[in-house]
C-alpha cells in the first residue's frame, strides 16, 4: 500500500535526513522494514522520499538487499557501504523483485509449489455468508470504506474484504479525501458474475434504508 | 509460550521511557495512573474540569473527586465532594453543554452513589444495632469494593493502552496474494440472481435493533427449589464434612435462588438447634457446625416452607 | 489463511518429506517463503503440516529465524542444524513474532514512523478511555454480559461494546444459559494487537485488586 509523496527534490530531503545510525540496522534495515509491509510495488523514488534518502542511495541499498536475499556475499571490497550486511551466502525464502518500475518482496519462485499448496489448502469455491453480505453492502453503497461497512454489519470486515479483493470481486477505488480511508467498489468481474452490464442495473432496494449520511446517526454514536 | 511473548507488565514499563512519556505511565502511582482526568485537573487547578469527550462514568468522576482531595475513601470530606459535584454540574449548565439523557442519568447514579456513601458514613463505627445499620454497613462495603474494583480495571486499562500503543508500532506483513497463487484459487461458484443479491443487501443494510439488554426473568421460570431439600443437603454435608463456611456451602449453587434456599434452610436448622454458627471476625466467614445427633431428618423441620419454592 | 490440517502423525509426514536439500536454502528458506504469504498468524502445527516437517523441526527453525532477524549470530556450537543460517549480527528491518497462537512477520517497531508513512491506512485510531476500560473488563471477566460490564464501570456500555465489536476486538460468544444475555469475549485479533499469545498472558489483575476475590458474588447480590 504505497503512497506517492509530494516530493521536493530528493536532494532537499537528503539534507534533512533521518539519523539512521541511531536505528538498529541503519538505513538498510529501515528500507527493509518498509519493503516487508508494502502491498504494492514501490518505486525507488517513492522509497527515497519516504525514507529521506537520495534516490541513488536507495537504489544501491535495494540492489544490495536483492543480492543478499539471493545469497550473494554482499561484503565485497568494492561495496564499502555494505559493511554491516553480513556474510549470508545461502538464499532466503523470499526475494526482492523489481517489477514494472516498482520493488516488492515476494516468496521465492522455487518454493511456489510448497507455498501454493499452503495457500490453497482449505480454500473453497463458495463465498461465506459474511462475505456475501459484505459484498452486497459494498455493491449498494460504493464507494465505501471498510470502517463504514464494519459499522453497517456490526463486525470487523477486514479479512472478508481481503478475500473479496483476492477474488477480484471488489477493488480499491482511491481514498476518502476526509478520512484517508481506502474506498472499495465492485469490479467488472463482479458485474460479469451477476450477469449485468453496470451497477445501475442492480435491482432497487428500499429507499428507506439508511444511506451513507443516515448511517452516521445510526452507527457512529459510540465515539472511540 | 514464546520468546517473543514477554509478560506485558515487563514490557509496558519501558514504554513510558522509550516514548518520552507519550504512553500512560504503567508504573505510576495508583492515583495518577488511575485517574487521568483528576490528574489533569491537578491539585491546584480551580474548579473540577472534565471534558465531556473524556468523561467515562460516575465511578470515574467519583474517583476523580476523591483523588483530587488526596483522601482515603473512608475519610472523604463528603460535604466538599458533594459541593464540588454540584458546582461541576452548574458549571456544565452555564457552559450551555447539552445533556443527553444517557449522561444525565449517569450523573444521577453519581449522586446516588455519593448519597449512599454519605449515609454509610453517618453510621458510627462499631455500634451496629439493628438490621438497617447492618444494611448500611454492607452498602458502604459494597460501594467501597466496587470503587476498588473499578480502580483496578482503570489501572489495567492504562497498562493495556500502553501495550496497544507500543504494539501498534509494529506493522504486520499483510500483502495481497501473489498473482500466480490467486490464479490457482478454485473458480468461484456463484448462484445468486440479482434479485436474491438485492434481498441480501436489503437485509444487510437494515439497521439492526440493538441487542436486548438482559432482563433477569430467569428466576420467574426457574424450577422450584425446596428449602427442605436444601436443608437435607446441608445436613448431609455438615455431618460428613465437619464445619463448613457458608461460602463453601453455596459454592456449587447453580442459581441465586438456590443460594437463598440454602440460606433459609440454615436459618431453619438454627432454629431447630441442629446447627451452630461461628464467626471469628466481624463480617468474616461464617463457619457452620453440626450439633445435633446423626439421626436428624428434614422431616423434623418446621412446616413453614413446605411446598414453597 | 491458516487452518488445521487433518494430520497423519508427524512421523508419517517426516518419512514422506519433501527433499528440501534440492531447494535453495533448504527447509529454513521454504518456511520463510510460506511466512511471506501469511495474512494471519500461523501456528507451528499448521506450518509443519504445510511443509511436511515435524512440529519440532518447524519450531526450531522458527526460533532460529526469529533470532537471526533479531541479529543474533545463530551459528552457535550447540546448534548444528543452523549451519547455513549465516553470521548476521545486525538486526533486520523486520521481526518474526509468536502472537495470538501463531507466527507472523512484522516490521520492527523502531521504524514505525517511516513505515507508517507508507501504509495508507494507519493503524486504527487509539481507543478512548471508555473503550479501554470496557475492553479491560471484558478481557478479564470473559465471557461476560454487557450488564456485568456496566455494573463494574457504573455506566451503560452498549455503544462502546458495539464499537469494540465493529473493530474486531471483541465478539459475541453465545448467551448466558440463565439470563439469556449475550456474552462477550476478546478475539484473536485482540491478542495480536496486544502482542500476546493468550489472555493468560495479560498482567495479573490481583495486585491491582487487593482482597476482592469474592466481589462477583457481592455484585450479583447488590446491583445498583
Amino acid at each position: 500500500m504505497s503512497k506517492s509523496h509530494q516530493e521536493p527534490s530528493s536532494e532537499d530531503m537528503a539534507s534533512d535526513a533521518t539519523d539512521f545510525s541511531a536505528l538498529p540496522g541503519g538505513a538498510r534495515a529501515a528500507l527493509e522494514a518498509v519493503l516487508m509491509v508494502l502491498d504494492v510495488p514501490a518505486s525507488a523514488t517513492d522509497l527515497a522520499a519516504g525514507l529521506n534518502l537520495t534516490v541513488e542511495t536507495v537504489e544501491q541499498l535495494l540492489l544490495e538487499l536483492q543480492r543478499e536475499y539471493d545469497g550473494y556475499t554482499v561484503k565485497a571490497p568494492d561495496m564499502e557501504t555494505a559493511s554491516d550486511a553480513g556474510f549470508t551466502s545461502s538464499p532466503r525464502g523470499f526475494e526482492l523483485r523489481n517489477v514494472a518500475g516498482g520493488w516488492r518482496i515476494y516468496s521465492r519462485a522455487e518454493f511456489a509449489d510448497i507455498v501454493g499448496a499452503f495457500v490453497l489448502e482449505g480454500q473453497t469455491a463458495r463465498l461465506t455468508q459474511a462475505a456475501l453480505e459484505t459484498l452486497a453492502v459494498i455493491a449498494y453503497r460504493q464507494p465505501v470504506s471498510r470502517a463504514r461497512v464494519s459499522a453497517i454489519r456490526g463486525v470487523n470486515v477486514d479479512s472478508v474484504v481481503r478475500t473479496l479483493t483476492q477474488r477480484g470481486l471488489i477493488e480499491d477505488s482511491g481514498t476518502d479525501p476526509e478520512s484517508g480511508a481506502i474506498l472499495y467498489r465492485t469490479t467488472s468481474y463482479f458485474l460479469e458474475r451477476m450477469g449485468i452490464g453496470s451497477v445501475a442495473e442492480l435491482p432497487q432496494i428500499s429507499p428507506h434504508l439508511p444511506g451513507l449520511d443516515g448511517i452516521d446517526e445510526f452507527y457512529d454514536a459510540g465515539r472511540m | 509460550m514464546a520468546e517473543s511473548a514477554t509478560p506485558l507488565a515487563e514490557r509496558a514499563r519501558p514504554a513510558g521511557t522509550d516514548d518520552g512519556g507519550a504512553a500512560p505511565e504503567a508504573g505510576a502511582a495508583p492515583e495518577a495512573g488511575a485517574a487521568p482526568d483528576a490528574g489533569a485537573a491537578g491539585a491546584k487547578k480551580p474548579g473540577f474540569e472534565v471534558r465531556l469527550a473524556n468523561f467515562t462514568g460516575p465511578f470515574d468522576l467519583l474517583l476523580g473527586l476523591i483523588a483530587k482531595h488526596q483522601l482515603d475513601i473512608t475519610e472523604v470530606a463528603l460535604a466538599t465532594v458533594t459541593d464540588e459535584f454540584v458546582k461541576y454540574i452548574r458549571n456544565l449548565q452555564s457552559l450551555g453543554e447539552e445533556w443527553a439523557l444517557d449522561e444525565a442519568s449517569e450523573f444521577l447514579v453519581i449522586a446516588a452513589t455519593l448519597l449512599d456513601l454519605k449515609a454509610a458514613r453517618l453510621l458510627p463505627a462499631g455500634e451496629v444495632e439493628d438490621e438497617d445499620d447492618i444494611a448500611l454497613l454492607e452498602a458502604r462495603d459494597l460501594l467501597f469494593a466496587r470503587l476498588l474494583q473499578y480502580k483496578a480495571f482503570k489501572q489495567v486499562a492504562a497498562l493495556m493502552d500502553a501495550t496497544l500503543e507500543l504494539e501498534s508500532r509494529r506493522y504486520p506483513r499483510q500483502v495481497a496474494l501473489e498473482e500466480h497463487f490467486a490464479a490457482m484459487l478454485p473458480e468461484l461458484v456463484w448462484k445468486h440472481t440479482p434479485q436474491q443479491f438485492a434481498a441480501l443487501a436489503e437485509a444487510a443494510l437494515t439497521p439492526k435493533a440493538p441487542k436486548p439488554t438482559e432482563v433477569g426473568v430467569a428466576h420467574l421460570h426457574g424450577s422450584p427449589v425446596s428449602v427442605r431439600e436444601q436443608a437435607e443437603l446441608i445436613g448431609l454435608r455438615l455431618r460428613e464434612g465437619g464445619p463448613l463456611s457458608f461460602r463453601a456451602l453455596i459454592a456449587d449453587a447453580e442459581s441465586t435462588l438456590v443460594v437463598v434456599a440454602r440460606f433459609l434452610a440454615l436459618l431453619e436448622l438454627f432454629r431447630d438447634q441442629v446447627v451452630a454458627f461461628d464467626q471469628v471476625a466481624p463480617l468474616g466467614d461464617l463457619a457452620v457446625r453440626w450439633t445435633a445427633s446423626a439421626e436428624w431428618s428434614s422431616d423434623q423441620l418446621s412446616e413453614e416452607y413446605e411446598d414453597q419454592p
Side-chain angles (χ1 to χ4, degrees), chain A, chain B:
Chain A
M1 240 146 259
S2 79
K3 145 171 94 179
S4 49
H5 298 251
Q6 320 84 316
E7 67 283 289
S9 84
S10 49
E11 282 77 13
D12 291 350
M13 312 207 70
S15 63
D16 170 37
T18 315
D19 182 12
F20 287 110
S21 62
L23 294 171
R28 198 176 60 96
L31 176 60
E32 208 174 39
V34 171
L35 290 170
M36 220 7 116
V37 298
L38 270 189
D39 195 8
V40 290
S43 70
T45 315
D46 282 351
L47 291 166
L51 288 158
N52 265 6
L53 292 169
T54 64
V55 175
E56 294 69 34
T57 309
V58 167
E59 279 172 346
Q60 194 184 347
L61 288 171
L62 286 166
L63 289 173
E64 263 177 53
L65 284 174
Q66 188 177 45
R67 294 174 66 184
E68 188 196 339
Y69 297 164
D70 288 349
Y72 287 84
T73 298
V74 294
K75 187 170 179 175
D78 61 320
M79 296 178 72
E80 54 182 344
T81 59
S83 56
D84 61 357
F87 295 85
T88 311
S89 63
S90 123
R92 307 222 70 102
F94 48 88
E95 55 190 338
L96 180 58
R97 279 191 236 151
N98 184 356
V99 184
W103 296 81
R104 191 195 133 165
I105 290 179
Y106 295 87
S107 62
R108 187 168 291 281
E110 285 86 344
F111 299 106
D113 291 346
I114 294 168
V115 173
F118 190 87
V119 166
L120 297 173
E121 168 81 31
Q123 291 287 336
T124 60
R126 240 168 258 280
L127 290 178
T128 60
Q129 186 65 22
L132 273 170
E133 283 176 20
T134 303
L135 180 60
V137 171
I138 293 173
Y140 278 89
R141 290 292 180 260
Q142 58 186 311
V144 65
S145 69
R146 274 178 311 176
R148 184 49 50 82
V149 180
S150 283
I152 294 172
R153 298 214 48 241
V155 293
N156 183 287
V157 295
D158 289 3
S159 84
V160 172
V161 163
R162 272 205 300 281
T163 306
L164 292 172
T165 309
Q166 207 169 77
R167 286 306 198 148
L169 291 164
I170 59 169
E171 64 190 1
D172 186 330
S173 76
T175 55
D176 182 80
E178 216 171 294
S179 66
I182 298 169
L183 299 174
Y184 292 88
R185 66 173 170 217
T186 53
T187 61
S188 54
Y189 174 68
F190 164 78
L191 297 176
E192 199 184 302
R193 294 314 304 259
M194 287 291 291
I196 56 177
S198 79
V199 285
E201 290 174 38
L202 282 171
Q204 288 276 315
I205 57 169
S206 164
H208 302 299
L209 292 173
L212 289 179
D213 302 332
I215 285 168
D216 281 332
E217 295 152 34
F218 278 102
Y219 298 103
D220 286 354
R223 46 178 199 240
M224 300 278 295
Chain B
M1 166 139 239
E3 314 223 321
S4 61
T6 326
L8 277 177
E10 281 171 36
R11 267 184 298 147
R13 271 161 222 269
T17 47
D18 285 349
D19 296 348
E25 292 162 43
E31 296 299 351
D37 292 349
K44 296 271 175 189
K45 214 163 179 179
F48 187 77
E49 293 181 16
V50 178
R51 278 174 301 143
L52 265 184
N54 262 1
F55 176 76
T56 60
F59 290 122
D60 212 13
L61 183 52
L62 192 56
L63 268 187
L65 290 167
I66 291 164
K68 193 186 161 200
H69 291 280
Q70 311 253 309
L71 290 171
D72 189 87
I73 182 175
T74 53
E75 298 167 11
V76 165
L78 274 171
T80 320
V81 173
T82 313
D83 286 352
E84 202 143 357
F85 173 63
V86 171
K87 201 163 77 192
Y88 166 65
I89 289 178
R90 291 215 175 109
N91 187 36
L92 272 186
Q93 283 170 333
S94 70
L95 288 174
E97 295 280 0
E98 291 206 7
W99 284 44
L101 185 61
D102 260 8
E103 281 156 355
S105 53
E106 283 170 13
F107 284 116
L108 279 179
V109 178
I110 305 177
T113 306
L114 285 172
L115 203 63
D116 272 1
L117 193 61
K118 191 160 190 168
R121 285 292 295 160
L122 290 175
L123 187 70
E127 289 178 31
V128 181
E129 277 167 10
D130 59 35
E131 285 181 8
D132 288 348
D133 286 352
I134 293 172
L136 275 177
L137 199 63
E138 280 171 356
R140 189 180 69 179
D141 287 351
L142 185 61
L143 183 63
F144 187 52
R146 294 178 65 165
L147 273 175
L148 278 181
Q149 171 169 267
Y150 174 67
K151 202 164 149 183
F153 277 115
K154 231 170 141 48
Q155 280 172 265
V156 292
L159 273 176
M160 280 174 57
D161 187 35
T163 307
L164 287 169
E165 180 69 7
L166 194 69
E167 289 296 322
S168 74
R169 298 184 65 77
R170 298 183 164 102
Y171 292 82
R173 175 171 169 95
Q174 184 166 290
V175 301
L177 200 55
E178 294 167 26
E179 276 174 29
H180 56 285
F181 295 130
M184 288 157 69
L185 290 170
E187 174 72 2
L188 200 63
V189 175
W190 186 271
K191 288 178 177 168
H192 288 75
T193 65
Q195 281 68 31
Q196 286 170 326
F197 191 72
L200 205 61
E202 184 129 7
L205 284 165
T206 304
K208 286 142 200 81
K211 291 175 178 170
T213 309
E214 61 265 37
V215 180
V217 293
H219 59 282
L220 296 178
H221 310 289
S223 51
V225 179
S226 141
V227 173
R228 184 180 297 277
E229 277 172 21
Q230 299 302 324
E232 188 72 56
L233 186 81
I234 289 170
L236 202 66
R237 288 186 185 180
L238 290 177
R239 273 174 287 169
E240 281 174 5
L244 288 169
S245 68
F246 180 65
R247 198 185 296 276
L249 283 171
I250 58 161
D252 64 332
E254 55 276 358
S255 70
T256 314
L257 196 57
V258 175
V259 176
V260 173
R262 286 191 193 163
F263 179 66
L264 291 174
L266 275 175
L267 292 182
E268 284 300 301
L269 293 169
F270 183 66
R271 189 161 72 181
D272 288 359
Q273 298 183 330
V274 294
V275 298
F277 300 115
D278 297 307
Q279 192 174 29
V280 179
L283 299 177
D285 266 2
L286 204 62
V288 188
R289 213 156 25 90
W290 190 255
T291 55
S293 66
E295 290 81 37
W296 176 86
S297 110
S298 61
D299 294 336
Q300 291 167 247
L301 271 190
S302 73
E303 301 295 304
E304 195 177 329
Y305 291 101
E306 184 85 281
D307 294 327
Q308 280 179 34

